[in-house]
Amino acid sequence: MGYFRENIEKAKGYEPGFQPKQTDVIKLNTNENPYPPSPAVMKVLAEIKPVQLRRYPDPTGEQFLQAAAQVHGISADHILCCNGGDELLTIAFRAFCDENRPVAYPVPTYSLYPVLANLQNCKAMEIPFDSEFNLPAKLAGDGAALTIVCNPNAPSGTFIAVGELASLADELDGILLIDEAYVDFARDNCVSLVKDFDNVIILRSMSKGYSLAGLRFGYAIAQPDLIAGLMKLKDSYNVNALSIAVAAAAIKDQKYFKENVEKVKRDRDILTEQLRALKFKVAKSSANFVLAESKNCKAGEIYDKLVQRNIYVRFFDLPGLTNKLRITVGTSEQNDKLVLTLKEILSSKGTSHGKENG
Ligand SMILES: Cc1ncc(COP(=O)(O)O)c(C=O)c1O
């Protein structure tokens, strides 16, 4: 017998996107924001006091709770601070799932869900999206203790209307966790559902819209009873003193946040059109990335050629995604370089084909 529980022994673990060591690369593979965080964030960091490090942090991150409550128009007891949205997912699996309490989610989606299901030893009911990434009807009657819908979905970038998720919340007996890690780039969000449904948890991340992936800060929004329940599962000091202060400064600076997000959305739509002009099939994205499928060249081949040119995108090679690349929206310059490089790759392929045929 090994030291680990049997399911841990067998588990592969989550494989994070590649983080290249060099800095002179175009990194469009892990959906980071290409712009720096708010200047208010840098000011907080510059003014950090020794006492903030010497003492334990506020266990609930009140400073952030108050700032986020104001932004969302809810009271602070509807919010739980987490060490990244990923910590909320871990907490939710531990809170609601076990051998007899399955999780359900549509696929393809965020590849962390099956990893956490495996660690928790719970059955994962993976219900395929159709080719348009519509919400599968089967989710409603699944009997799962926890149903997760990623909206906008990763890696498709597609968005499910709030009304459809309200109907799902109404039909489910268990919890509906709506993973809104990318919602800052979408036209709508599900926070309003929390008022009407005691089984809805919204996941938010500061990694994408607020340019704070390195900080590790996310939060849950739900009715106070659910928040109080989730609180029992978190580490006593799950968010540190620096990240509470920084995340609070970032969320307070809504002007900077909105300007930044608008730039990314504008460039996403331009990139989508440019990729379509290169004969890629690209679903309309509501996130800060696009999912692109070349009609003329294998995704794996394009991926390798981009890496050779120091451009990193994400290639999953998983069912439903075999010939697709997920590309994070970068700065306008990075996107232009990517499009130019793709043009070169595809045209050299066209030439070599011509030679083979001739
Ligand atoms: C769909 C989805 N949910 C949640 C997260 C977690 O984000 P973080 O832990 O950085 O807040 C990510 C991160 O990439 C994600 O892609």
Side-chain angles (χ1 to χ4, degrees), residues 84-86 89 110 113 150 154 179 181-182 203 205 207-208 216-217:
D86 281 348
L89 291 170
Y110 187 27
Y113 306 154
C150 186
D179 181 342
Y182 296 101
L203 176 152
S205 170
S207 298
K208 319 293 178 180
R216 313 305 304 127
F217 204 98

Side-chain angles (χ1 to χ4, degrees), residues 14 30-31 83-87 89 109-110 112-113 150 152-154 179-182 203-208 212-213 216-218 289 326:
Y14 180 68
T30 50
N31 298 342
N83 186 17
D86 281 348
E87 190 201 12
L89 291 170
T109 191
Y110 187 27
L112 182 63
Y113 306 154
C150 186
N153 186 48
D179 181 342
E180 291 196 339
Y182 296 101
L203 176 152
R204 287 295 181 96
S205 170
M206 299 297 286
S207 298
K208 319 293 178 180
L212 291 173
R216 313 305 304 127
F217 204 98
F289 55 83
R326 192 195 67 190

Side-chain angles (χ1 to χ4, degrees), residues 78-94:
H78 286 76
I79 305 171
L80 173 74
C81 296
C82 296
N83 186 17
D86 281 348
E87 190 201 12
L88 176 61
L89 291 170
T90 300
I91 288 176
F93 273 87
R94 285 168 51 222

Side-chain angles (χ1 to χ4, degrees), residues 5 13 41 84 92 97 106 109 138 145 202 217 233 243 315 327 347-348:
R5 282 158 47 213
V41 159
C97 299
T109 191
K138 259 179 77 183
I202 309 286
F217 204 98
L233 291 114
S243 63
F315 174 47
I327 305 170
S347 66
S348 71

Side-chain angles (χ1 to χ4, degrees), residues 235-300:
D235 285 349
S236 347
Y237 304 108
N238 64 328
V239 283
N240 68 68
L242 300 192
S243 63
I244 296 168
V246 164
I251 204 166
K252 275 186 195 163
D253 193 351
Q254 285 293 301
K255 181 170 178 289
Y256 180 88
F257 161 74
K258 283 180 184 152
E259 282 169 8
N260 187 337
V261 160
E262 282 312 312
K263 266 194 289 192
V264 173
K265 282 164 70 175
R266 189 202 57 205
D267 287 344
R268 171 192 68 202
D269 296 343
I270 295 171
L271 180 63
T272 301
E273 286 313 315
Q274 288 173 320
L275 291 171
R276 284 179 182 160
L278 290 178
K279 304 263 183 315
F280 280 90
K281 192 175 159 210
V282 189
K284 180 174 168 37
S285 171
S286 296
N288 66 337
F289 55 83
V290 296
L291 189 65
E293 178 170 11
S294 169
K295 293 178 191 156
N296 299 330
C297 187
K298 291 234 168 1

